[in-house]
């Protein structure tokens, strides 16, 4: 009888350990920024992972010279990652360009705490923003 009790306790402890070791559920935040009466825009979502953030969405330009979006990721007051879309110095011109990438904050204690989103309007040759999104 004692053997069965110990075995059940070990199985229960293993199950609790397995549940505790699994990945935490990620929170998702949607974002949307625009300028130039809406002819320049970017929208999508941030999936807040353990320390990094998955970014999905699209940058859109309607009848203009071009649009780009810039994401600055911060861990507290430290800039840890910065990426723009489209890449390679290109702009979205009369189209929507999709993106799906990760802002890496894995090297920083606590990871990414906020993201600043900037929008480039090539017609006005100016950046608008930032619009800031905080880790939930």
């Amino acid at each position: 009888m004692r053997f069965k009790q110990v075995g059940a306790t070990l199985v229960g402890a293993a199950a609790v350990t397995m549940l505790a070791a699994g990945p935490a559920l990620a929170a998702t935040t949607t974002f949307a920024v625009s300028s130039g009466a809406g002819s320049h825009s970017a929208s999508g979502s941030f999936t807040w992972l353990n320390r990094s953030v998955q970014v999905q969405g699209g940058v859109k330009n309607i009848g203009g010279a071009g649009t780009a979006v810039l994401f600055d990721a911060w861990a507290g007051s430290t800039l840890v990652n910065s990426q723009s879309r489209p890449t390679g110095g290109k702009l979205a011109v009369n189209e929507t360009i999709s993106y799906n990438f990760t802002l890496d904050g894995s090297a920083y204690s606590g990871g990414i705490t906020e993201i600043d989103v900037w929008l480039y309007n090539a017609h006005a040759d100016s950046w608008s923003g930032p619009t800031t999104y905080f880790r939930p």
Side-chain angles (χ1 to χ4, degrees):
M1 182 78 163
R2 185 175 182 157
F3 177 75
K4 290 181 183 178
Q5 189 175 27
V6 170
T9 302
L10 289 175
V11 170
V16 169
T17 301
M18 287 174 52
L19 290 174
L25 295 176
T28 301
T29 304
T30 59
F31 69 90
V33 294
S34 66
S35 71
S39 60
H40 308 274
S41 63
S43 61
S45 64
F46 300 125
T47 301
W48 303 87
L49 306 171
N50 185 23
R51 293 185 179 188
S52 299
V53 178
Q54 181 72 32
V55 181
Q56 296 179 339
V59 59
K60 183 176 183 178
N61 175 268
I62 302 170
T67 305
V69 61
L70 173 69
F71 301 92
D72 286 338
W74 299 85
S77 61
T78 303
L79 180 64
V80 300
N81 199 300
S82 185
Q83 293 194 36
S84 63
R85 294 295 186 270
T87 59
K90 298 178 183 176
L91 299 173
V93 179
N94 293 320
E95 64 184 327
T96 299
I97 297 178
S98 298
Y99 43 79
N100 184 350
F101 63 96
T102 300
L103 293 165
D104 185 15
S106 61
Y108 299 88
S109 178
I112 295 170
T113 56
E114 65 187 81
I115 300 172
D116 289 339
V117 181
W118 300 82
L119 194 64
Y120 180 69
N121 174 342
H123 181 73
D125 191 25
S126 66
W127 289 91
S128 62
T131 302
T132 303
Y133 297 86
F134 296 93
R135 177 180 287 277

